[in-house]
Amino acid sequence: MKALILVGGFGTRLRPLTLSVPKPLVDFANKPMILHQIEALKAIGVNEVVLAINYQPEVMLNFLKEFEAKLGIKITCSQETEPLGTAGPLALARDKLIDDSGEPFFVLNSDVISEYPLKEMIAFHKAHGGEASIMVTKVDEPSKYGVVVMDETTGQVEKFVEKPKLFVGNKINAGIYLLNPSVLDRIELRPTSIEKEVFPNIAAAKKLYAMVLPGFWMDIGQPRDYISGLTLYLDSLRKNSPSKLASGPHIVGNVIVHETAEIGEGCLIGPDVAIGPGCVVESGVRLSRCTVMRGVRIKKHSCISSSIIGWHSTVGQWARVENMTILGEDVHVCDEVYSNGGVVLPHKEIKSNIVKPEIVM
């Protein structure tokens, strides 16, 4: 089986992290976002993944080469010379996706994190016999999204309603699809949207079906959702593989700590924290709802909450970092400095307080 991951563009919403690496390579729960998807695809028998990309393909491929060997899966790129939307890349990668088997292929948005019930999706797709299956997820505020109106018993999709003013349903497109090769005949090689053009056509032909996603779902393409996604992901680990979570007198709630990280005396860590490889957390540190990426040093008695600390950064003694502060790669926060929602570009030293959310160039 094959799969296409829509990697897309510049990842501007996750800057300053995406100034250092393409968005799919930004760490989420101690591994690159895209690796969560590739591992889930490999686990259900996908043997080739095509990355639809228009930005830095060589960086992506060089990075993923080691995982190709480790996971035993072929990873190739299909590069756009101009942005082709969410459907155009499928037409561009047509020759890579179609083979003699006639098997359906997966399409995933690279920002989506979930429990990836792909095996169940294959069974669902075979059972309904339509042309395409999409995952949908229930949301509390459907008016912010495009809503999928579907038959609750069969899953057949009737129509899509973009940001409805009146309630028509609470299920939205979750960005995970399983498509028959014939869907490619419906897509022209031009900038085009799978959600707004291709799927409505298949729905009109009564060949589109939706499966409600069990478990959690989050689009982690922006910082606030990234932190919420981490909470949901760790909660899912607690249910499904609790042995991966850290434990001990200094741990509160769900926390993952890489085996190479060092944690000092008298710390309080959690809930909802990921500490990456090679990190050093000195004594008396307080961490909650945050991600600390590879090679970070957090000095004594500092406090970090609801923030993302980028690779190889340093947080000084008695510093306080909170309220969606994002430190890019190699940022150094001096001792006793306060950051309230600062977004700091890579290779900066922060010597004075950031008292209100702002971008520090």
Side-chain angles (χ1 to χ4, degrees):
M1 259 189 114
K2 296 186 179 185
L4 178 100
I5 300 179
L6 294 164
V7 173
F10 302 109
T12 48
R13 295 179 305 162
L14 263 188
R15 282 182 184 164
L17 302 170
T18 48
L19 295 174
S20 299
V21 296
K23 182 170 61 175
L25 300 186
V26 171
D27 295 317
F28 176 82
N30 290 353
K31 61 182 154 192
M33 284 184 194
I34 199 163
L35 208 53
H36 291 272
Q37 300 188 328
I38 293 173
E39 286 177 352
L41 289 164
K42 170 66 184 170
I44 53 107
V46 169
N47 49 20
E48 185 175 345
V49 174
V50 181
L51 308 177
I53 191 167
N54 62 18
Y55 174 61
Q56 291 186 323
E58 54 293 330
V59 180
M60 290 279 292
L61 281 178
N62 289 343
F63 180 86
L64 291 167
K65 274 285 166 269
E66 64 168 299
F67 293 106
E68 228 184 359
K70 209 183 279 181
L71 295 171
I73 190 168
K74 185 178 173 189
I75 301 172
T76 57
C77 266
S78 169
Q79 190 185 2
E80 308 163 26
T81 49
E82 57 165 343
L84 289 171
T86 51
L90 276 75
L92 187 65
R94 181 188 179 103
D95 293 345
K96 292 179 188 281
L97 292 171
I98 284 193
D99 54 23
D100 301 334
S101 71
E103 280 191 319
F105 57 89
F106 281 101
V107 177
L108 286 80
N109 284 348
S110 68
D111 296 354
V112 166
I113 197 90
S114 75
E115 285 171 13
Y116 306 116
L118 306 177
K119 199 173 167 190
E120 294 83 339
M121 195 173 191
I122 294 171
F124 173 77
H125 186 76
K126 283 180 177 159
H128 68 63
E131 199 171 353
S133 300
I134 65 173
M135 268 307 175
V136 293
T137 184
K138 293 178 184 173
V139 289
D140 295 335
E141 286 184 60
S143 59
K144 292 195 298 193
Y145 304 92
V147 172
V148 180
V149 181
M150 57 187 269
D151 182 308
E152 294 295 329
T153 48
T154 63
Q156 190 174 48
V157 175
E158 293 164 24
K159 60 180 178 180
F160 295 82
V161 183
E162 195 57 40
K163 296 184 177 163
K165 297 278 182 286
L166 297 169
F167 184 84
V168 289
N170 66 345
K171 295 178 190 71
I172 64 164
N173 177 351
I176 301 172
Y177 320 130
L178 186 54
L179 312 176
N180 286 353
S182 59
V183 170
L184 294 171
D185 299 333
R186 298 175 177 270
I187 304 170
E188 294 171 36
L189 183 52
R190 61 178 175 85
T192 168
S193 161
I194 198 164
E195 300 87 355
K196 292 180 180 160
E197 295 178 60
V198 180
F199 286 157
N201 289 342
I202 304 174
K206 302 203 176 332
K207 290 181 176 176
L208 181 66
Y209 289 80
M211 171 181 160
V212 180
L213 180 82
F216 78 98
W217 175 88
M218 185 55 80
D219 177 329
I220 54 173
Q222 52 192 357
R224 200 168 290 281
D225 296 338
Y226 175 104
I227 294 289
S228 302
L230 182 64
T231 300
L232 295 168
Y233 175 82
L234 294 176
D235 197 42
S236 159
L237 276 190
R238 169 73 65 200
K239 292 188 187 100
N240 300 321
S241 30
S243 60
K244 291 182 181 172
L245 294 172
S247 58
H250 59 296
I251 301 287
V252 184
N254 300 333
V255 174
I256 47 170
V257 179
H258 193 271
E259 62 212 16
T260 58
E262 297 171 29
I263 294 178
E265 295 289 306
C267 292
L268 192 56
I269 295 173
D272 307 324
V273 173
I275 298 176
C279 291
V280 176
V281 179
E282 295 183 5
S283 59
V285 166
R286 174 77 180 101
L287 303 178
S288 64
R289 274 181 70 82
C290 64
T291 284
V292 180
M293 293 183 181
R294 183 182 62 251
V296 166
R297 177 176 284 268
I298 297 171
K299 295 188 177 174
K300 294 175 183 172
H301 306 295
S302 54
C303 176
I304 301 173
S305 65
S306 301
S307 297
I308 301 173
I309 311 299
W311 310 270
H312 306 289
S313 292
T314 310
V315 176
Q317 298 184 31
W318 297 99
R320 187 176 183 93
V321 173
E322 62 187 23
N323 191 25
M324 295 315 304
T325 290
I326 305 165
L327 306 185
E329 181 180 19
D330 182 40
V331 168
H332 302 283
V333 176
C334 293
D335 293 353
E336 298 179 27
V337 164
Y338 171 58
S339 171
N340 172 24
V343 173
V344 186
L345 272 66
H347 316 297
K348 291 288 294 180
E349 187 175 30
I350 303 297
K351 293 177 178 170
S352 57
N353 293 341
I354 301 171
V355 291
K356 63 180 195 303
E358 62 174 302
I359 295 170
V360 179
M361 307 286 274

